[in-house]
Amino acid sequence: MRYSSHMHMRLEGMLFNTPKDVEHFLETMNGFVHLAYEKDIETLTEFAQELGGPETLEPWDIYYYQTKYLERHASFNWGDILNYFTFEGFWEAYTEHQKQAFGLIYKKTEAIETPHPDCEAYYVHLEDNPEEVAAVVYLDYFKSDHKRLGGWAKYIKRSHLDKNGVRQIPHIHVLTNFPVKNTKPDERHKIFYVNFDTGFHEGGHLAHNACSNTQEFSKMAGSNIAYDLVEIPAKQQNRFVPLQKLLQPVLKNYQTGEPVPEATLDAFYNAGRHLNSMNIKYALEWTSIDFLVHKAAADGHIQTADDLERVEEEFFRNFYGDLPQQYPVRTANLRHIFISSYDCVLYNYHLADIITYARRAEHVEQGLYDEDLTQKMLDFMAAGDTRPPKELLQEFMGSKDIALVPYLKAQGLVPKDTPNDQHMFTL
């Protein structure tokens, strides 16, 4: 066999192309996250005891007391802001963002048949060339019985040159699970913050393919790149969703149309600075157990179901130590293992987060859009898989070094005065 294990096969051609590279990355991430998690659990335990709660928090206690903590210390309650997230507000923010960030203009068309009435077809044009169609997209946002959970972008056809040398434009199908479409004519369609986040994320994947300039081979076009880089355009878009400048104009009460009170939006942002290690620790748990199971299998340590259970239990003892685990995750929850493009490379979400903040660290406070970042992102997306991943990422970053600290500071995991160059990854 050419490869010593499934993991070695999957990592070939990646930015992190050996198990040792991935292990170092995850251990470094978890080192910072775990220290912050310890402090947050201590803070939450003391708070729970003030309310007459248990001396030791169990996994099922954490979310309850986390919610109560945010109500007291951030003056935030989800009930205060839920009624202001609407599909109309999302669509207004999303289309303006796609225009500003990528120069993409959406024009709805009835000329293309769609799978069902809630799925709508659009021609996507480049702002500087409005007569030419850059992509055909099918936007299937609303929940229905035929969908699995989550959100994803599916590529019906990628950009390429046909046998006559004519460029074939990509056809992209975006599917999400926004709440079932509202049919009341006098009300806006109420959705949730997570729908904003998901819609922008999948829009990043859509733009990656719409802006692809790799014409020769469809297998090298758009998001057909090293899989540990594929989430970078999508995560760049997630970075825009929490920015107040983007949300303030579009958050309106779904019944009355009144704009969200400024104090409510301020509390929403302030809440994101409290106990944030818990969300990141949980996400890192999924990534780490995915890596561990593949590594243990590669090393010959998993031969039976009992072996798998032993490996899982050992992982959780090491990952959480004496601290409570928030939610029980097991390999049975990881449906992608050994069967999808994400197996072995779930770390790509964390890597994309770090790159997003590292690339924006110098100008994040200067305004919503940055001309240099926009052009670098367009160049990154246009290249597809025609360049080695390290070379492609280095050009996007403008350096061989990736700073970890901007992401850690943004998540409240290290002090704000920590120098950005204190912890670096070198490509």
Side-chain angles (χ1 to χ4, degrees):
M1 290 179 63
R2 179 180 171 188
Y3 305 99
S4 58
S5 72
H6 175 78
M7 170 172 273
H8 287 85
M9 179 192 72
R10 287 290 297 123
L11 294 179
E12 184 181 50
M14 302 291 180
L15 180 71
F16 294 160
N17 56 19
T18 70
K20 187 177 179 180
D21 291 338
V22 180
E23 189 168 28
H24 172 65
F25 173 72
L26 292 177
E27 286 179 351
T28 303
M29 276 284 294
N30 191 46
F32 288 104
V33 174
H34 191 79
L35 286 174
Y37 186 71
E38 279 185 313
K39 293 177 182 177
D40 284 348
I41 287 293
E42 182 180 351
T43 298
L44 200 62
T45 301
E46 291 174 358
F47 175 72
Q49 290 173 11
E50 289 177 18
L51 300 183
E55 293 184 4
T56 301
L57 295 180
E58 298 292 344
W60 49 84
D61 295 320
I62 292 177
Y63 182 75
Y64 173 79
Y65 287 109
Q66 189 177 10
T67 302
K68 293 296 181 184
Y69 183 92
L70 293 179
E71 288 177 2
R72 176 178 294 186
H73 293 278
S75 302
F76 174 71
N77 187 309
W78 271 108
D80 295 337
I81 200 169
L82 279 179
N83 289 340
Y84 294 93
F85 293 107
T86 67
F87 178 75
E88 292 80 0
F90 160 76
W91 185 245
E92 180 182 341
Y94 172 81
T95 50
E96 180 61 23
H97 168 66
Q98 290 267 308
K99 179 181 176 181
Q100 294 287 341
F102 308 117
L104 297 180
I105 308 295
Y106 286 67
K107 294 182 181 179
K108 187 177 176 181
T109 176
E110 303 290 344
I112 298 176
E113 185 177 357
T114 60
H116 57 87
D118 284 345
C119 178
E120 297 179 338
Y122 287 80
Y123 291 125
V124 176
H125 303 260
L126 294 175
E127 188 177 18
D128 59 1
N129 190 6
E131 300 304 316
E132 184 176 338
V133 177
V136 173
V137 300
Y138 305 83
L139 299 180
D140 194 350
Y141 284 125
F142 301 102
K143 189 173 183 178
S144 62
D145 293 338
H146 71 275
K147 291 183 188 174
R148 58 178 168 89
L149 296 177
W152 63 101
K154 199 165 80 172
Y155 310 106
I156 300 170
K157 184 170 72 172
R158 294 185 187 269
S159 171
H160 66 281
L161 294 182
D162 66 16
K163 62 182 180 180
N164 297 316
V166 178
R167 181 176 183 257
Q168 299 297 303
I169 63 173
H171 288 234
I172 307 156
H173 192 179
V174 172
L175 301 98
T176 60
N177 277 276
F178 290 15
V180 176
K181 199 168 186 179
N182 184 13
T183 56
K184 296 180 181 179
D186 57 340
E187 287 185 356
R188 290 177 155 230
H189 177 49
K190 182 180 175 183
I191 59 175
F192 298 101
Y193 172 74
V194 68
N195 302 132
F196 269 70
D197 200 48
T198 301
F200 270 69
H201 182 94
E202 299 307 331
H205 289 309
L206 183 159
H208 197 167
N209 287 275
C211 296
S212 173
N213 196 31
T214 307
Q215 300 183 357
E216 287 79 7
F217 303 104
S218 63
K219 288 188 177 181
M220 302 179 76
S223 59
N224 263 358
I225 60 174
Y227 235 81
D228 49 2
L229 301 186
V230 78
E231 292 297 333
I232 292 174
K235 281 291 189 176
Q236 287 278 328
Q237 311 328 306
N238 288 129
R239 178 64 187 88
F240 284 98
V241 178
L243 292 182
Q244 202 157 351
K245 287 182 182 178
L246 193 68
L247 289 186
Q248 181 84 51
V250 303
L251 293 190
K252 297 177 182 178
N253 187 285
Y254 80 103
Q255 292 176 313
T256 67
E258 290 294 316
V260 63
E262 190 172 335
T264 301
L265 195 55
D266 287 343
F268 173 67
Y269 286 106
N270 187 37
R273 302 184 180 98
H274 293 269
L275 307 177
N276 210 18
S277 71
M278 297 185 175
N279 298 326
I280 301 171
K281 183 75 172 174
Y282 178 55
L284 198 57
E285 176 183 333
W286 282 76
T287 304
S288 299
I289 195 170
D290 166 74
F291 171 76
L292 179 78
V293 167
H294 284 96
K295 185 174 185 298
D299 294 341
H301 298 318
I302 299 179
Q303 303 293 331
T304 68
D306 289 339
D307 291 339
L308 178 58
E309 185 175 1
R310 175 183 50 78
V311 167
E312 286 179 340
E313 295 305 324
E314 183 179 345
F315 163 76
F316 289 116
R317 283 195 301 273
N318 294 332
F319 192 73
Y320 281 99
D322 296 329
L323 301 175
Q325 179 189 0
Q326 296 177 78
Y327 306 100
V329 175
R330 293 293 185 268
T331 48
N333 302 113
L334 303 175
R335 292 172 294 174
H336 67 279
I337 282 187
F338 295 112
I339 61 169
S340 89
S341 347
Y342 281 92
D343 71 86
C344 297
V345 289
L346 270 183
Y347 66 87
N348 65 357
Y349 287 94
H350 301 288
L351 178 62
D353 276 329
I354 289 167
I355 289 168
T356 293
Y357 283 89
R359 189 64 181 83
R360 289 182 57 82
E362 297 154 3
H363 62 264
V364 70
E365 301 301 332
Q366 298 174 12
L368 195 56
Y369 296 96
D370 174 81
E371 189 174 334
D372 176 62
L373 174 63
T374 297
Q375 188 57 54
K376 290 290 187 183
M377 187 78 263
L378 289 171
D379 292 343
F380 178 92
M381 294 190 299
D385 197 31
T386 60
R387 312 262 298 281
K390 287 187 179 182
E391 180 184 309
L392 187 62
L393 186 57
Q394 183 179 333
E395 184 172 304
F396 174 66
M397 296 298 297
S399 169
K400 287 186 177 182
D401 298 316
I402 301 173
L404 178 58
V405 169
Y407 170 75
L408 298 174
K409 286 198 289 192
Q411 305 305 323
L413 303 182
V414 297
K416 286 288 186 184
D417 59 356
T418 306
N420 283 345
D421 61 357
Q422 185 167 321
H423 301 284
M424 312 287 283
F425 289 104
T426 300
L427 297 174

